[in-house]
Amino acid sequence: MKQQGWQIRVRGQVQGVGFRPFVWQLAQAQGLRGTVSNDAEGVLIRVLGAPDDLVAALKAEAPPLARVDAVEVTVAVFEAPPKGFEIIASGGPGAETRVTPDAATCPECLAEIRGEGRRRGYAFTNCTHCGPRFTILQSLPYDRARTTMAPFEMCPDCRAEYENPGDRRFHAQPIACPICGPRLWLEVGGAEVPGDAIALAVARLQAGEVLAIKGLGGFHLACDAANPRAVAELRARKRRPAKPFALMCREADLDRIVTVSPAALAALKEPAAPIVLMPARDALPASVAPGMAELGVMLPYTPLHHLLLDAFQGVLVMTSGNLSGEPQVVGNDEAREKLAPFADAFVMHDRTIARRLDDSVLRVDPPMVLRRARGQVPGTLPLPPGFEDAPQVVAYGGQMKAALCLIKNGQALLGHHLGALDEALTWEAFVQADADYAALFDHAPQAVAVDLHPDFRASRHGAERAAREGLRLIEVQHHHAHLAAVMGENQWPREGGKVVGIILDGLGLGPDGTVWGGELLLGDYAGFARCAWLKPAPLIGGDRAQMEPWRNALVRLDAAGLSGWADALFPNAPREIARAMVAKGLNAPPSSSAGRLFDAVAACLGLCPDRQSYEGEAAMRLEALAGRAEAGQAPRLRLSGAGEEIDPAPLFQALAQGGDPAGLAFAVHDALAEAFAARARTLIAQGTAQAVALSGGVFQNALMLQLMVEKLAGCAILKHQPLPANDGALALGQALVAVAKLEE
């Protein structure tokens, strides 16, 4: 006998988070009959009985890792009335739902590995509230058979937990125990060393050795952070002389090594368990983060890490396991081949990593994401008002800090951080991610968006795909994409009016064929106008100018009438050859780059003038130096004029006069912020722009962001927070611009 009931569709991050047992428990408590299942669109509930209380609870009481985007209720007809409430098998494959990011070990599982039960000391303990998700997922819907846990057949005890709706491991797809799950071992020279892997690893770390440790999204290289010889050895082996190392420690050790604010502690303890930048104390060797005022620290986020830190009782360097410039190593054989020159021993396990994910990095004061990866992806963002019916679009981002973006069903899925695409293996990872996301989310784009620069590998890839599949190709200017990205992240409506964008970064090709990077733009999603910019200076040697700060200093000093000082500062540099290149216009394209301007200032103050050992080193050291300025003691510098070109010559004339380096570094930041903010305030006051948007990699500089916000007081400000200001969010902006242009 047919009977009318209700169908409830729950959309969002609702698979792999214990949502179905949560619904089952609610139904039992409310006396409802029906079913709940996963399918391609999320969670589907069919019930007899009044659904109001159930719907309210779905929104208000969802499990900790769940994110409910929508609950839709429609009438349903039952051919035969159900006798109770059941959790039934998932529907067919497909991808309209959100995939859950990997989550740090929950308190209940942590208590188990430290307790006396059958999972004591087990490095792969997890439940529906924690554990691997995206790093083991191979296809949707999220079921064990579609993860890299499929080869591990559950033992009777795990099966009983898995099938018990009242257990927190009900349908926990990575469920495991020492009897049936992945195993951990330590090996040296390709041979397993008998004994407890954790105890063996700790003994080697305490002896000053470097270990390669397989984690969630790849391998780390680890050593004792308090042992300067071990840190120096790791730097020598990895040929990484100065780039700051990430650290991992127990919560109890935090206060000893960094100044921890409540906001920073809360961020550390989030399920994403990111690296958080915090002010350093003097407890560790300076070689951990040379020249930096902050340390990047994360808490243990897997049972393996907790067991290791519990036994080690100290602070570990925990840096990505990779060759310089290459993506993080994920496979056991790959690790043996590539990390053998770095590591004295390997901590291995036999659970396959489906996709590599670096650790996410953020700062809480001011709040910003620097690298969006493990624990933060593949979450989706709602599109701004006016984009609800946007067609499917794929955007491929830029050349550096690559990440791609898919638009579908009113949502934007911004992919994880991949790195610089000029490295062959990073490029392979990019191509794999493109196919991976397309398959995982069943994506069929109508258009492809790329950067305007035709030589970016992502741009060529997008153009080839568009030609191959007959899709429309839309080229988006780099800084317009930055502007659109920060607008979209802040839900700026499509018809919300024009915004003035202060876009400061390293480089991006302008429509005029020159290299941009210090820009004031007025625009919206559909278009923009360039209102002001840093006075261009030649990039001597093209790309070499990005790594050798003296080149940028030389041209800025020459332009400011300070050639003699340049000769004194850089006596061993090939200055005359460089000047001849400028005079002849030979491999010296003009650029308004704010990033290269900061490099020039850093070189004048003696900060790695000859060569940077990693991207952004000079600017990061300059920011750290400026942070040491005495309050109110820095000189006040101002750039004259209110025209289109912002000439930084007065800054270099002030540097030449000498003074406290920290005060001068601060004054340069302050003067540049005022020069751009003043012009933006004028456009706001005139009613030409409705808000100010801040984007580009320079706004990862906390001091620059803070000064700019202060100088824009009273203006509506759009800035990045859940997404990075650097090129990691570029693809989102490209995708939104593409939609706007498609629908013009």
Side-chain angles (χ1 to χ4, degrees), residues 674-708:
E674 176 58 30
F676 279 96
R679 289 163 171 79
R681 290 196 304 266
T682 297
L683 291 171
I684 294 290
Q686 293 171 346
T688 307
Q690 308 305 308
V692 184
L694 309 178
S695 189
V698 169
F699 284 112
Q700 292 188 144
N701 179 323
L703 176 60
M704 193 67 182
L705 178 60
Q706 174 189 330
L707 290 170
M708 194 71 79

PDB file of all heavy atoms in Angstrom, residues 674-708:
ATOM      1  N   GLU A 674      51.113  54.163   2.007  1.00  0.00           N
ATOM      2  CA  GLU A 674      50.434  55.458   1.922  1.00  0.00           C
ATOM      3  C   GLU A 674      50.251  55.899   0.474  1.00  0.00           C
ATOM      4  O   GLU A 674      49.195  56.441   0.106  1.00  0.00           O
ATOM      5  CB  GLU A 674      51.223  56.516   2.694  1.00  0.00           C
ATOM      6  CG  GLU A 674      50.661  57.920   2.592  1.00  0.00           C
ATOM      7  CD  GLU A 674      49.214  58.045   3.067  1.00  0.00           C
ATOM      8  OE1 GLU A 674      48.800  57.270   3.955  1.00  0.00           O
ATOM      9  OE2 GLU A 674      48.479  58.927   2.549  1.00  0.00           O
ATOM     10  N   ALA A 675      51.254  55.660  -0.371  1.00  0.00           N
ATOM     11  CA  ALA A 675      51.159  56.084  -1.773  1.00  0.00           C
ATOM     12  C   ALA A 675      49.985  55.417  -2.478  1.00  0.00           C
ATOM     13  O   ALA A 675      49.230  56.078  -3.219  1.00  0.00           O
ATOM     14  CB  ALA A 675      52.465  55.768  -2.497  1.00  0.00           C
ATOM     15  N   PHE A 676      49.798  54.129  -2.251  1.00  0.00           N
ATOM     16  CA  PHE A 676      48.682  53.423  -2.889  1.00  0.00           C
ATOM     17  C   PHE A 676      47.357  53.719  -2.189  1.00  0.00           C
ATOM     18  O   PHE A 676      46.319  53.913  -2.837  1.00  0.00           O
ATOM     19  CB  PHE A 676      48.953  51.918  -2.912  1.00  0.00           C
ATOM     20  CG  PHE A 676      49.857  51.488  -4.026  1.00  0.00           C
ATOM     21  CD1 PHE A 676      51.220  51.334  -3.814  1.00  0.00           C
ATOM     22  CD2 PHE A 676      49.354  51.254  -5.298  1.00  0.00           C
ATOM     23  CE1 PHE A 676      52.070  50.943  -4.840  1.00  0.00           C
ATOM     24  CE2 PHE A 676      50.187  50.866  -6.335  1.00  0.00           C
ATOM     25  CZ  PHE A 676      51.559  50.713  -6.109  1.00  0.00           C
ATOM     26  N   ALA A 677      47.367  53.760  -0.867  1.00  0.00           N
ATOM     27  CA  ALA A 677      46.122  53.980  -0.129  1.00  0.00           C
ATOM     28  C   ALA A 677      45.545  55.356  -0.428  1.00  0.00           C
ATOM     29  O   ALA A 677      44.317  55.517  -0.518  1.00  0.00           O
ATOM     30  CB  ALA A 677      46.365  53.816   1.372  1.00  0.00           C
ATOM     31  N   ALA A 678      46.410  56.365  -0.565  1.00  0.00           N
ATOM     32  CA  ALA A 678      45.919  57.721  -0.823  1.00  0.00           C
ATOM     33  C   ALA A 678      45.134  57.780  -2.126  1.00  0.00           C
ATOM     34  O   ALA A 678      44.072  58.405  -2.205  1.00  0.00           O
ATOM     35  CB  ALA A 678      47.093  58.699  -0.863  1.00  0.00           C
ATOM     36  N   ARG A 679      45.638  57.120  -3.141  1.00  0.00           N
ATOM     37  CA  ARG A 679      44.946  57.123  -4.435  1.00  0.00           C
ATOM     38  C   ARG A 679      43.638  56.334  -4.359  1.00  0.00           C
ATOM     39  O   ARG A 679      42.639  56.706  -4.978  1.00  0.00           O
ATOM     40  CB  ARG A 679      45.885  56.550  -5.500  1.00  0.00           C
ATOM     41  CG  ARG A 679      47.036  57.487  -5.843  1.00  0.00           C
ATOM     42  CD  ARG A 679      48.169  56.772  -6.571  1.00  0.00           C
ATOM     43  NE  ARG A 679      49.180  57.703  -7.077  1.00  0.00           N
ATOM     44  CZ  ARG A 679      50.132  58.249  -6.342  1.00  0.00           C
ATOM     45  NH1 ARG A 679      50.214  57.956  -5.054  1.00  0.00           N
ATOM     46  NH2 ARG A 679      51.008  59.090  -6.872  1.00  0.00           N
ATOM     47  N   ALA A 680      43.659  55.241  -3.604  1.00  0.00           N
ATOM     48  CA  ALA A 680      42.426  54.466  -3.448  1.00  0.00           C
ATOM     49  C   ALA A 680      41.382  55.262  -2.669  1.00  0.00           C
ATOM     50  O   ALA A 680      40.192  55.245  -3.020  1.00  0.00           O
ATOM     51  CB  ALA A 680      42.732  53.158  -2.727  1.00  0.00           C
ATOM     52  N   ARG A 681      41.800  55.962  -1.632  1.00  0.00           N
ATOM     53  CA  ARG A 681      40.850  56.766  -0.846  1.00  0.00           C
ATOM     54  C   ARG A 681      40.193  57.836  -1.716  1.00  0.00           C
ATOM     55  O   ARG A 681      39.003  58.137  -1.564  1.00  0.00           O
ATOM     56  CB  ARG A 681      41.567  57.424   0.334  1.00  0.00           C
ATOM     57  CG  ARG A 681      42.006  56.465   1.432  1.00  0.00           C
ATOM     58  CD  ARG A 681      42.354  57.213   2.715  1.00  0.00           C
ATOM     59  NE  ARG A 681      43.364  58.234   2.505  1.00  0.00           N
ATOM     60  CZ  ARG A 681      44.670  58.062   2.688  1.00  0.00           C
ATOM     61  NH1 ARG A 681      45.120  56.866   3.080  1.00  0.00           N
ATOM     62  NH2 ARG A 681      45.526  59.053   2.488  1.00  0.00           N
ATOM     63  N   THR A 682      40.956  58.392  -2.631  1.00  0.00           N
ATOM     64  CA  THR A 682      40.402  59.416  -3.524  1.00  0.00           C
ATOM     65  C   THR A 682      39.284  58.837  -4.383  1.00  0.00           C
ATOM     66  O   THR A 682      38.216  59.453  -4.552  1.00  0.00           O
ATOM     67  CB  THR A 682      41.514  59.990  -4.416  1.00  0.00           C
ATOM     68  OG1 THR A 682      42.500  60.632  -3.592  1.00  0.00           O
ATOM     69  CG2 THR A 682      40.954  61.002  -5.409  1.00  0.00           C
ATOM     70  N   LEU A 683      39.494  57.649  -4.938  1.00  0.00           N
ATOM     71  CA  LEU A 683      38.470  57.024  -5.774  1.00  0.00           C
ATOM     72  C   LEU A 683      37.218  56.678  -4.960  1.00  0.00           C
ATOM     73  O   LEU A 683      36.091  56.780  -5.460  1.00  0.00           O
ATOM     74  CB  LEU A 683      39.035  55.770  -6.444  1.00  0.00           C
ATOM     75  CG  LEU A 683      40.105  56.018  -7.512  1.00  0.00           C
ATOM     76  CD1 LEU A 683      40.745  54.706  -7.949  1.00  0.00           C
ATOM     77  CD2 LEU A 683      39.515  56.752  -8.709  1.00  0.00           C
ATOM     78  N   ILE A 684      37.416  56.284  -3.711  1.00  0.00           N
ATOM     79  CA  ILE A 684      36.269  56.006  -2.844  1.00  0.00           C
ATOM     80  C   ILE A 684      35.522  57.300  -2.549  1.00  0.00           C
ATOM     81  O   ILE A 684      34.282  57.356  -2.627  1.00  0.00           O
ATOM     82  CB  ILE A 684      36.733  55.337  -1.529  1.00  0.00           C
ATOM     83  CG1 ILE A 684      37.316  53.947  -1.802  1.00  0.00           C
ATOM     84  CG2 ILE A 684      35.577  55.261  -0.536  1.00  0.00           C
ATOM     85  CD1 ILE A 684      36.324  52.902  -2.217  1.00  0.00           C
ATOM     86  N   ALA A 685      36.256  58.356  -2.217  1.00  0.00           N
ATOM     87  CA  ALA A 685      35.629  59.641  -1.880  1.00  0.00           C
ATOM     88  C   ALA A 685      34.856  60.211  -3.064  1.00  0.00           C
ATOM     89  O   ALA A 685      33.806  60.858  -2.888  1.00  0.00           O
ATOM     90  CB  ALA A 685      36.688  60.631  -1.411  1.00  0.00           C
ATOM     91  N   GLN A 686      35.352  59.979  -4.261  1.00  0.00           N
ATOM     92  CA  GLN A 686      34.672  60.472  -5.466  1.00  0.00           C
ATOM     93  C   GLN A 686      33.436  59.657  -5.820  1.00  0.00           C
ATOM     94  O   GLN A 686      32.654  60.057  -6.686  1.00  0.00           O
ATOM     95  CB  GLN A 686      35.646  60.440  -6.648  1.00  0.00           C
ATOM     96  CG  GLN A 686      36.805  61.414  -6.541  1.00  0.00           C
ATOM     97  CD  GLN A 686      37.853  61.195  -7.620  1.00  0.00           C
ATOM     98  OE1 GLN A 686      37.853  60.160  -8.302  1.00  0.00           O
ATOM     99  NE2 GLN A 686      38.745  62.158  -7.793  1.00  0.00           N
ATOM    100  N   GLY A 687      33.274  58.496  -5.168  1.00  0.00           N
ATOM    101  CA  GLY A 687      32.172  57.606  -5.509  1.00  0.00           C
ATOM    102  C   GLY A 687      32.445  56.766  -6.731  1.00  0.00           C
ATOM    103  O   GLY A 687      31.558  56.042  -7.211  1.00  0.00           O
ATOM    104  N   THR A 688      33.685  56.824  -7.241  1.00  0.00           N
ATOM    105  CA  THR A 688      34.054  56.047  -8.420  1.00  0.00           C
ATOM    106  C   THR A 688      34.145  54.560  -8.096  1.00  0.00           C
ATOM    107  O   THR A 688      33.851  53.705  -8.933  1.00  0.00           O
ATOM    108  CB  THR A 688      35.400  56.543  -8.972  1.00  0.00           C
ATOM    109  OG1 THR A 688      35.312  57.960  -9.179  1.00  0.00           O
ATOM    110  CG2 THR A 688      35.749  55.858 -10.286  1.00  0.00           C
ATOM    111  N   ALA A 689      34.588  54.254  -6.868  1.00  0.00           N
ATOM    112  CA  ALA A 689      34.715  52.868  -6.408  1.00  0.00           C
ATOM    113  C   ALA A 689      33.932  52.694  -5.118  1.00  0.00           C
ATOM    114  O   ALA A 689      33.814  53.629  -4.318  1.00  0.00           O
ATOM    115  CB  ALA A 689      36.174  52.507  -6.199  1.00  0.00           C
ATOM    116  N   GLN A 690      33.429  51.483  -4.912  1.00  0.00           N
ATOM    117  CA  GLN A 690      32.600  51.206  -3.742  1.00  0.00           C
ATOM    118  C   GLN A 690      33.375  50.537  -2.606  1.00  0.00           C
ATOM    119  O   GLN A 690      32.913  50.501  -1.472  1.00  0.00           O
ATOM    120  CB  GLN A 690      31.426  50.295  -4.137  1.00  0.00           C
ATOM    121  CG  GLN A 690      30.631  50.804  -5.318  1.00  0.00           C
ATOM    122  CD  GLN A 690      30.125  52.231  -5.107  1.00  0.00           C
ATOM    123  OE1 GLN A 690      29.503  52.526  -4.086  1.00  0.00           O
ATOM    124  NE2 GLN A 690      30.416  53.107  -6.063  1.00  0.00           N
ATOM    125  N   ALA A 691      34.536  49.983  -2.926  1.00  0.00           N
ATOM    126  CA  ALA A 691      35.341  49.295  -1.915  1.00  0.00           C
ATOM    127  C   ALA A 691      36.765  49.204  -2.428  1.00  0.00           C
ATOM    128  O   ALA A 691      37.045  49.434  -3.612  1.00  0.00           O
ATOM    129  CB  ALA A 691      34.782  47.900  -1.631  1.00  0.00           C
ATOM    130  N   VAL A 692      37.689  48.863  -1.518  1.00  0.00           N
ATOM    131  CA  VAL A 692      39.093  48.664  -1.874  1.00  0.00           C
ATOM    132  C   VAL A 692      39.414  47.184  -1.701  1.00  0.00           C
ATOM    133  O   VAL A 692      39.127  46.593  -0.655  1.00  0.00           O
ATOM    134  CB  VAL A 692      40.030  49.499  -0.984  1.00  0.00           C
ATOM    135  CG1 VAL A 692      41.477  49.345  -1.461  1.00  0.00           C
ATOM    136  CG2 VAL A 692      39.624  50.960  -0.979  1.00  0.00           C
ATOM    137  N   ALA A 693      40.022  46.598  -2.713  1.00  0.00           N
ATOM    138  CA  ALA A 693      40.388  45.178  -2.683  1.00  0.00           C
ATOM    139  C   ALA A 693      41.904  45.052  -2.647  1.00  0.00           C
ATOM    140  O   ALA A 693      42.606  45.718  -3.413  1.00  0.00           O
ATOM    141  CB  ALA A 693      39.821  44.456  -3.903  1.00  0.00           C
ATOM    142  N   LEU A 694      42.416  44.204  -1.763  1.00  0.00           N
ATOM    143  CA  LEU A 694      43.855  44.010  -1.590  1.00  0.00           C
ATOM    144  C   LEU A 694      44.212  42.582  -1.990  1.00  0.00           C
ATOM    145  O   LEU A 694      43.693  41.624  -1.420  1.00  0.00           O
ATOM    146  CB  LEU A 694      44.260  44.251  -0.135  1.00  0.00           C
ATOM    147  CG  LEU A 694      43.773  45.564   0.501  1.00  0.00           C
ATOM    148  CD1 LEU A 694      44.201  45.633   1.961  1.00  0.00           C
ATOM    149  CD2 LEU A 694      44.289  46.772  -0.277  1.00  0.00           C
ATOM    150  N   SER A 695      45.110  42.433  -2.956  1.00  0.00           N
ATOM    151  CA  SER A 695      45.491  41.090  -3.395  1.00  0.00           C
ATOM    152  C   SER A 695      46.892  41.115  -3.983  1.00  0.00           C
ATOM    153  O   SER A 695      47.447  42.173  -4.271  1.00  0.00           O
ATOM    154  CB  SER A 695      44.490  40.549  -4.421  1.00  0.00           C
ATOM    155  OG  SER A 695      44.729  39.179  -4.691  1.00  0.00           O
ATOM    156  N   GLY A 696      47.452  39.933  -4.165  1.00  0.00           N
ATOM    157  CA  GLY A 696      48.808  39.779  -4.660  1.00  0.00           C
ATOM    158  C   GLY A 696      49.729  39.313  -3.548  1.00  0.00           C
ATOM    159  O   GLY A 696      49.490  39.557  -2.359  1.00  0.00           O
ATOM    160  N   GLY A 697      50.801  38.632  -3.923  1.00  0.00           N
ATOM    161  CA  GLY A 697      51.686  38.001  -2.961  1.00  0.00           C
ATOM    162  C   GLY A 697      52.303  38.931  -1.951  1.00  0.00           C
ATOM    163  O   GLY A 697      52.649  38.507  -0.842  1.00  0.00           O
ATOM    164  N   VAL A 698      52.471  40.221  -2.281  1.00  0.00           N
ATOM    165  CA  VAL A 698      53.044  41.165  -1.321  1.00  0.00           C
ATOM    166  C   VAL A 698      52.167  41.275  -0.079  1.00  0.00           C
ATOM    167  O   VAL A 698      52.664  41.568   1.017  1.00  0.00           O
ATOM    168  CB  VAL A 698      53.264  42.542  -1.983  1.00  0.00           C
ATOM    169  CG1 VAL A 698      53.594  43.617  -0.952  1.00  0.00           C
ATOM    170  CG2 VAL A 698      54.395  42.451  -3.011  1.00  0.00           C
ATOM    171  N   PHE A 699      50.872  41.006  -0.208  1.00  0.00           N
ATOM    172  CA  PHE A 699      49.981  41.104   0.952  1.00  0.00           C
ATOM    173  C   PHE A 699      50.059  39.876   1.852  1.00  0.00           C
ATOM    174  O   PHE A 699      49.309  39.776   2.830  1.00  0.00           O
ATOM    175  CB  PHE A 699      48.548  41.394   0.507  1.00  0.00           C
ATOM    176  CG  PHE A 699      48.365  42.831   0.105  1.00  0.00           C
ATOM    177  CD1 PHE A 699      48.117  43.166  -1.217  1.00  0.00           C
ATOM    178  CD2 PHE A 699      48.476  43.841   1.040  1.00  0.00           C
ATOM    179  CE1 PHE A 699      47.969  44.491  -1.594  1.00  0.00           C
ATOM    180  CE2 PHE A 699      48.338  45.173   0.669  1.00  0.00           C
ATOM    181  CZ  PHE A 699      48.083  45.504  -0.652  1.00  0.00           C
ATOM    182  N   GLN A 700      50.985  38.972   1.576  1.00  0.00           N
ATOM    183  CA  GLN A 700      51.350  37.976   2.576  1.00  0.00           C
ATOM    184  C   GLN A 700      52.300  38.579   3.602  1.00  0.00           C
ATOM    185  O   GLN A 700      52.565  37.979   4.640  1.00  0.00           O
ATOM    186  CB  GLN A 700      51.983  36.755   1.909  1.00  0.00           C
ATOM    187  CG  GLN A 700      50.994  35.980   1.075  1.00  0.00           C
ATOM    188  CD  GLN A 700      51.555  34.675   0.558  1.00  0.00           C
ATOM    189  OE1 GLN A 700      50.851  33.689   0.464  1.00  0.00           O
ATOM    190  NE2 GLN A 700      52.821  34.668   0.209  1.00  0.00           N
ATOM    191  N   ASN A 701      52.830  39.739   3.292  1.00  0.00           N
ATOM    192  CA  ASN A 701      53.643  40.512   4.222  1.00  0.00           C
ATOM    193  C   ASN A 701      52.690  41.120   5.255  1.00  0.00           C
ATOM    194  O   ASN A 701      51.895  42.004   4.950  1.00  0.00           O
ATOM    195  CB  ASN A 701      54.378  41.600   3.428  1.00  0.00           C
ATOM    196  CG  ASN A 701      55.241  42.497   4.271  1.00  0.00           C
ATOM    197  OD1 ASN A 701      54.898  42.854   5.397  1.00  0.00           O
ATOM    198  ND2 ASN A 701      56.371  42.905   3.711  1.00  0.00           N
ATOM    199  N   ALA A 702      52.753  40.620   6.485  1.00  0.00           N
ATOM    200  CA  ALA A 702      51.791  41.030   7.514  1.00  0.00           C
ATOM    201  C   ALA A 702      51.882  42.525   7.808  1.00  0.00           C
ATOM    202  O   ALA A 702      50.863  43.190   8.034  1.00  0.00           O
ATOM    203  CB  ALA A 702      52.026  40.234   8.792  1.00  0.00           C
ATOM    204  N   LEU A 703      53.095  43.061   7.807  1.00  0.00           N
ATOM    205  CA  LEU A 703      53.255  44.489   8.081  1.00  0.00           C
ATOM    206  C   LEU A 703      52.631  45.327   6.978  1.00  0.00           C
ATOM    207  O   LEU A 703      51.930  46.318   7.248  1.00  0.00           O
ATOM    208  CB  LEU A 703      54.740  44.823   8.228  1.00  0.00           C
ATOM    209  CG  LEU A 703      55.072  46.305   8.426  1.00  0.00           C
ATOM    210  CD1 LEU A 703      54.413  46.856   9.682  1.00  0.00           C
ATOM    211  CD2 LEU A 703      56.591  46.514   8.471  1.00  0.00           C
ATOM    212  N   MET A 704      52.855  44.949   5.729  1.00  0.00           N
ATOM    213  CA  MET A 704      52.291  45.706   4.607  1.00  0.00           C
ATOM    214  C   MET A 704      50.769  45.686   4.657  1.00  0.00           C
ATOM    215  O   MET A 704      50.108  46.707   4.440  1.00  0.00           O
ATOM    216  CB  MET A 704      52.791  45.117   3.289  1.00  0.00           C
ATOM    217  CG  MET A 704      52.520  45.995   2.084  1.00  0.00           C
ATOM    218  SD  MET A 704      53.467  47.525   2.153  1.00  0.00           S
ATOM    219  CE  MET A 704      52.901  48.345   0.676  1.00  0.00           C
ATOM    220  N   LEU A 705      50.202  44.521   4.945  1.00  0.00           N
ATOM    221  CA  LEU A 705      48.753  44.413   5.034  1.00  0.00           C
ATOM    222  C   LEU A 705      48.218  45.270   6.176  1.00  0.00           C
ATOM    223  O   LEU A 705      47.228  46.004   6.017  1.00  0.00           O
ATOM    224  CB  LEU A 705      48.351  42.955   5.239  1.00  0.00           C
ATOM    225  CG  LEU A 705      46.860  42.679   5.399  1.00  0.00           C
ATOM    226  CD1 LEU A 705      46.082  43.122   4.164  1.00  0.00           C
ATOM    227  CD2 LEU A 705      46.608  41.202   5.680  1.00  0.00           C
ATOM    228  N   GLN A 706      48.875  45.198   7.326  1.00  0.00           N
ATOM    229  CA  GLN A 706      48.423  45.965   8.482  1.00  0.00           C
ATOM    230  C   GLN A 706      48.469  47.462   8.202  1.00  0.00           C
ATOM    231  O   GLN A 706      47.514  48.196   8.499  1.00  0.00           O
ATOM    232  CB  GLN A 706      49.315  45.635   9.678  1.00  0.00           C
ATOM    233  CG  GLN A 706      49.062  46.472  10.913  1.00  0.00           C
ATOM    234  CD  GLN A 706      50.128  46.244  11.979  1.00  0.00           C
ATOM    235  OE1 GLN A 706      50.692  45.154  12.077  1.00  0.00           O
ATOM    236  NE2 GLN A 706      50.415  47.267  12.750  1.00  0.00           N
ATOM    237  N   LEU A 707      49.564  47.951   7.621  1.00  0.00           N
ATOM    238  CA  LEU A 707      49.692  49.377   7.325  1.00  0.00           C
ATOM    239  C   LEU A 707      48.650  49.813   6.304  1.00  0.00           C
ATOM    240  O   LEU A 707      48.047  50.890   6.428  1.00  0.00           O
ATOM    241  CB  LEU A 707      51.101  49.674   6.809  1.00  0.00           C
ATOM    242  CG  LEU A 707      52.226  49.568   7.842  1.00  0.00           C
ATOM    243  CD1 LEU A 707      53.580  49.635   7.149  1.00  0.00           C
ATOM    244  CD2 LEU A 707      52.101  50.674   8.890  1.00  0.00           C
ATOM    245  N   MET A 708      48.430  48.991   5.283  1.00  0.00           N
ATOM    246  CA  MET A 708      47.461  49.357   4.256  1.00  0.00           C
ATOM    247  C   MET A 708      46.064  49.447   4.842  1.00  0.00           C
ATOM    248  O   MET A 708      45.304  50.389   4.536  1.00  0.00           O
ATOM    249  CB  MET A 708      47.496  48.333   3.124  1.00  0.00           C
ATOM    250  CG  MET A 708      46.779  48.783   1.863  1.00  0.00           C
ATOM    251  SD  MET A 708      47.654  50.098   0.968  1.00  0.00           S
ATOM    252  CE  MET A 708      48.924  49.158   0.125  1.00  0.00           C
TER     253      MET A 708
END
